[in-house]
Amino acid sequence: MTTFQERQRLREQAAYYLNMGDVDTYTQLMHEARMGIPNSNNDLKNWGSNNKRTVNRRKAVKQLMDDYTRKEIAEELNCDISTVRKDIIFLREKEQEEEHG
């Protein structure tokens, strides 16, 4: 895992090589910069989004959905009821996928 600054340096180096006409080095450096992003693939796979806010909200909804109503969850997370409903639908579909294979 690399820091944001390290990934930015890799992108700057890649841009330099692209300007010099070395496409292979550019491609390799950009690939390294993208692979260094922490948890990007895991979040998309597990939570259906790379957006940090969405992932955190869905984690909170998952914890609260058994004990609270949708309205209470929406008030707790300061979001719309329809957003909570969509998150619950996503989480239930994800659970069904895991149960069936």
Side-chain angles (χ1 to χ4, degrees):
M1 182 168 76
T2 57
T3 65
F4 178 77
Q5 288 83 13
E6 290 171 338
R7 293 192 308 273
Q8 283 298 98
R9 270 189 250 117
L10 284 172
R11 289 184 186 103
E12 290 170 3
Q13 287 177 349
Y16 171 78
Y17 282 108
L18 183 62
N19 289 334
M20 298 300 290
D22 190 355
V23 177
D24 293 333
T25 305
Y26 165 80
T27 306
Q28 178 186 1
L29 288 172
M30 287 303 288
H31 179 73
E32 288 177 25
R34 281 191 300 273
M35 293 308 291
I37 298 173
N39 299 326
S40 63
N41 292 334
N42 289 340
D43 285 345
L44 182 59
K45 184 178 176 184
N46 296 332
W47 299 104
S49 177
N50 280 334
N51 186 328
K52 188 175 182 179
R53 272 182 153 170
T54 303
V55 170
N56 289 338
R57 186 186 67 239
R58 286 186 177 166
K59 286 178 181 179
V61 168
K62 185 175 183 178
Q63 290 177 341
L64 299 173
M65 71 183 200
D66 293 330
D67 300 327
Y68 296 95
T69 65
R70 291 177 186 169
K71 185 176 180 181
E72 293 170 335
I73 294 172
E75 290 173 359
E76 179 75 25
L77 300 177
N78 198 21
C79 64
D80 199 30
I81 294 174
S82 63
T83 305
V84 172
R85 185 181 73 240
K86 290 175 187 174
D87 288 343
I88 290 173
I89 290 170
F90 172 81
L91 292 168
R92 287 186 180 153
E93 288 175 356
K94 192 70 175 165
E95 286 177 3
Q96 287 176 355
E97 282 180 17
E98 291 173 358
E99 287 176 6
H100 295 292

